[in-house]
Amino acid sequence: MSLIETAIKKIQASANAQAQTSLATNNAPAARKAAPKFEPVDPTKIRQFRRVSADAEAMERNCILPQVTDQAALRGYKILRTRIGQRLAANNWRSIAVTGTESGQGKTLTAINLSIALAQDPNTYVFLVDLDLQRPQIASYFGMKVERGLGDYLVGEAELDDIVYNPSIERLAVVPNTRVLEHSSDFLASPRMMELESSLNAESPKRIIIYDMPPLLLSDDVLTFAPRVDGLLMVISEGHTARASLERSKELLAEMNLIGVVLNRSSEHNDSPYY
Ligand SMILES: Nc1ncnc2c1ncn2[C@@H]1O[C@H](COP(=O)(O)OP(=O)(O)OP(=O)(O)O)[C@@H](O)[C@H]1O
Ligand SMILES: [Mg+2]
């Protein structure tokens, strides 16, 4: 068993009862429950957000769906989409913060591709929010040129209609950011941020909200915001995530609802032609 597998097992063992049904396990009682059916949506009543062009080349370069052709990666995102979708539906949860122990482990890539994969389901509408206020990346991963984003909203220089974009991916709306904000956790705790959450939650049809966040260990942003989401998705990277970081994260995660762990950059492959 590798160091990472051992560490994941430790995180799972110490997390709360819901966390114990992590993606790495196959015994999730939540997934066995019948998922509630989404109400049918009248397409004429769906709010149209600002249109923005995403750059197919940038998306391909950054491994963003649907420009990904690697079959193993596509399969991985479908499995992640289905398991997360089942868990959210079974618990009537709607919001997830994507984080990890340190930087560069694939949090943003996972948040984006999970959002797109969820929105590929014709019954699922998604908001993807760039909540890494010190290193916003979502706009550049899509190659989107946007005038204003979340930072402008948080400082009171933009309104909701100015910062929610539709990058021509059906059922996906993106709240990007182009303005770096220092004292980010203060902004996350601000009334303006709560106003944004209320507005997104009040949208019809109801949407799953995926927040791309900074690393758990490098600031207090995740600690500040975690109580306001339904669950956390941890991204760890095989060969990059240190055991000490996982141990430290385990202590912090004990207080939070960990709904899954994604093992990114896994070297494991199943080369069978079917699976
Ligand atoms: N599974 C993967 N295969 C190939 N490249 C990957 C993979 N996961 C991430 N990357 C690349 O690694 C880099 C870092 O990924 P990403 O920005 O998603 O990490 P992050 O955890 O959000 O980093 P940060 O903490 O800086 O926000 C990017 O260039 C991304 O394209
Ligand atoms: Mg990131």
Side-chain angles (χ1 to χ4, degrees), residues 107-109 132 135 137 141 212-213:
K107 300 178 293 298
T108 300
L109 186 64
D132 191 341
R135 279 178 76 164
Q137 294 275 14
Y141 276 28
D212 177 34
M213 294 217 62

Side-chain angles (χ1 to χ4, degrees), residues 108-128:
T108 300
L109 186 64
T110 303
I112 294 174
N113 281 343
L114 173 61
S115 300
I116 296 173
L118 284 165
Q120 284 170 345
D121 174 342
N123 296 311
T124 306
Y125 291 76
V126 181
F127 280 126
L128 168 65

Side-chain angles (χ1 to χ4, degrees), residues 64-221:
I64 304 293
L65 295 175
Q67 306 298 338
V68 175
T69 50
D70 180 281
Q71 291 304 311
L74 288 172
R75 221 164 26 233
Y77 285 122
K78 278 200 172 151
I79 293 169
L80 179 65
R81 180 264 305 263
T82 303
R83 302 211 61 172
I84 291 287
Q86 284 173 342
R87 191 145 310 153
L88 294 180
N91 293 285
N92 212 10
W93 290 336
R94 292 212 163 261
S95 57
I96 301 178
V98 179
T99 186
T101 53
E102 295 145 82
S103 63
Q105 309 209 316
K107 300 178 293 298
T108 300
L109 186 64
T110 303
I112 294 174
N113 281 343
L114 173 61
S115 300
I116 296 173
L118 284 165
Q120 284 170 345
D121 174 342
N123 296 311
T124 306
Y125 291 76
V126 181
F127 280 126
L128 168 65
V129 183
D130 194 336
L131 215 51
D132 191 341
L133 296 179
Q134 295 196 30
R135 279 178 76 164
Q137 294 275 14
I138 286 181
S140 83
Y141 276 28
F142 276 104
M144 297 179 350
K145 292 195 171 48
V146 296
E147 256 178 54
R148 281 176 291 183
L150 180 59
D152 303 297
Y153 177 92
L154 291 176
V155 299
E157 292 179 12
E159 295 306 322
L160 188 75
D161 282 346
D162 304 321
I163 62 157
V164 186
Y165 293 85
N166 182 338
S168 301
I169 295 175
E170 260 196 280
R171 295 175 290 278
L172 176 69
V174 180
V175 180
N177 186 21
T178 50
R179 182 171 186 156
V180 172
L181 295 180
E182 299 301 330
H183 309 293
S184 46
S185 62
D186 294 344
F187 280 102
L188 294 180
S190 68
R192 189 72 172 155
M193 184 64 212
M194 290 178 199
E195 206 178 302
L196 176 81
E197 291 161 61
S198 307
S199 304
L200 297 182
N201 284 324
E203 273 296 321
S204 177
K206 290 262 176 234
R207 289 175 182 256
I208 291 173
I209 310 177
I210 308 284
Y211 294 101
D212 177 34
M213 294 217 62
L216 182 61
L217 299 179
L218 299 189
S219 69
D220 61 340
D221 287 20

